Amino acid sequence: MSVRDLADYPWDAVVPYRERAARHPDGIVDLSVGSPVDPTPELIRRALSEATDAHAYPQTVGTPALREAIVEWYARRRGVSDLTVDNVLPTIGSKELVALLPTLLGLGEGDIVVHPRIAYPTYEVGARVVGATPLPSDDPTEWPDGTKLIWINTPGNPDGRTWTVEELAAAVERARELGAVLASDECYAELGWDGRWATEPIPSILDPRVTGGSRANLLSVYSLSKQSNLAGYRAAFVAGCARIVGELLTARKHLGLMPPEPVQHAMAVALGDDEHVAAQKALYRARRDMLRPALEAAGFRIDGSEAGLYLWATEGQDAWASIERLAELGILAGPGPFYGEFSTQHVRLALTAPSDRIAEGARRLHAQTV
């Protein structure tokens, strides 16, 4: 398969609904895309500006300070205390790694790439680019022989599904039976809301309770876009199996995949500060607490959404009908079908709009029930 064979970018289909929502007399409430709108914290911007004398080529492997900061962050925030700098590698955002991992692992025709049933589409795109076969499945007992790469996403985008330690351990056991690489996309792990995740840390695939003492063939992927408002910095990293990390490093050196030096310095500072992360989470919680009851009052059911940056909502009808209804209210949501064939009756609403716009969207939804 070539890049020319990829489907049209799906968000083009949303344009007519965006135009309709924008005609609302009080303006559009755009909840369709999870791109941060809040300012990048001052300490991170200051760190970036301090590192602008970047006359030399950056290090693909990452600066010593950044690698140590990633190791320390996993120990402090994720309960993974046995990593070394040989287990970590910065990336230019997480999307490029998700898309390129099948390529970098040397996968091709006849290989199977498992990904979540309801999923961010880049997992499938990465498989198709190399001619591998994508398979949507969340059940390790279904993962077949011939599987070479397994993606899980916890907490999930768009549905917020969060894997327990026991579920992760079962996934690791099956991956080992298959000899497959298991990669866990964990970029929403600081955003737990409901049930046990309101108070309990969300576990990583690298958690010692999951790995049984071996990180072989296991990768954790993380991004600072959400927790630190660094989407524009393209700031992310991968951690886990030292052998695979080393192979990825070699390939990325040849390909010139180097995070800019000022970004690496800013990442190290961001990873060392938990206060701004807590403040950002509080903002998202306040927005969620406004939007969820308004959606429910307007007849939507919220499924999953126990963690992450979205509300996964349904009226029990075709998603496009819900998109149209919301657009008439001046609210733009993301269509469930963009996340696979198993979500044709859901819409995704992001918590990344400014608080005053979410309040306005909640007002419009509540007005429907009067």
Side-chain angles (χ1 to χ4, degrees), residues 207-274:
D207 190 304
R209 297 171 295 173
V210 173
T211 66
S214 172
R215 288 183 297 270
N217 281 3
L218 301 180
L219 296 174
S220 165
V221 180
Y222 204 82
S223 167
L224 299 184
S225 294
K226 277 54 178 187
Q227 71 179 48
S228 299
N229 295 325
L230 295 186
Y233 284 48
R234 310 312 300 135
F237 46 88
V238 60
C241 176
R243 176 187 62 81
I244 296 177
V245 168
E247 292 172 357
L248 295 178
L249 172 59
T250 298
R252 294 174 70 84
K253 284 179 178 178
H254 284 293
L255 294 170
L257 296 173
M258 303 174 287
E261 187 90 10
V263 172
Q264 294 193 38
H265 181 66
M267 287 175 66
V269 171
L271 286 165
D273 180 76
D274 296 334

Side-chain angles (χ1 to χ4, degrees), residues 1-3 5-6 99 102-103 106-113 123-135 146 148:
M1 177 179 181
S2 73
V3 173
D5 297 319
L6 292 175
T103 299
L107 274 56
E109 187 174 351
D111 295 330
I112 296 171
V113 176
Y123 308 119
E124 179 178 349
V125 169
R128 292 197 180 280
V129 164
V130 299
T133 301
L135 174 66
K148 297 298 179 63

Side-chain angles (χ1 to χ4, degrees), residues 338-353:
F338 287 4
Y339 304 96
E341 61 183 308
F342 305 100
S343 53
T344 58
Q345 294 188 337
H346 283 77
V347 296
R348 190 193 78 167
L349 299 106
L351 304 176
T352 50

Side-chain angles (χ1 to χ4, degrees), residues 83-149:
L83 297 181
T84 72
V85 293
D86 293 329
N87 298 115
V88 302
L89 182 66
T91 63
I92 310 168
S94 59
K95 185 172 183 177
E96 60 94 342
L97 179 71
V98 171
L100 286 177
L101 190 57
T103 299
L104 298 177
L105 293 176
L107 274 56
E109 187 174 351
D111 295 330
I112 296 171
V113 176
V114 170
H115 63 80
R117 281 165 52 93
I118 300 173
Y120 181 62
T122 309
Y123 308 119
E124 179 178 349
V125 169
R128 292 197 180 280
V129 164
V130 299
T133 301
L135 174 66
S137 174
D138 298 319
D139 183 353
T141 65
E142 297 176 349
W143 300 344
D145 293 339
T147 298
K148 297 298 179 63
L149 172 62

Side-chain angles (χ1 to χ4, degrees), residues 73-74 77-80 152-156 160-169 172 183-192 194 196-211 219-222 306-307:
W73 179 84
Y74 268 101
R77 302 299 303 174
R78 307 304 311 279
V80 181
I152 62 174
N153 181 200
T154 174
R161 182 199 171 173
T162 304
W163 292 56
T164 66
V165 166
E166 294 75 19
E167 289 169 329
L168 290 171
V172 169
S184 179
D185 183 347
E186 302 176 350
C187 69
Y188 302 101
E190 292 277 10
L191 301 175
D194 292 338
R196 64 191 297 179
W197 310 123
T199 56
E200 184 178 335
I202 292 170
S204 171
I205 197 69
L206 302 180
D207 190 304
R209 297 171 295 173
V210 173
T211 66
L219 296 174
S220 165
V221 180
Y222 204 82
E306 58 192 358

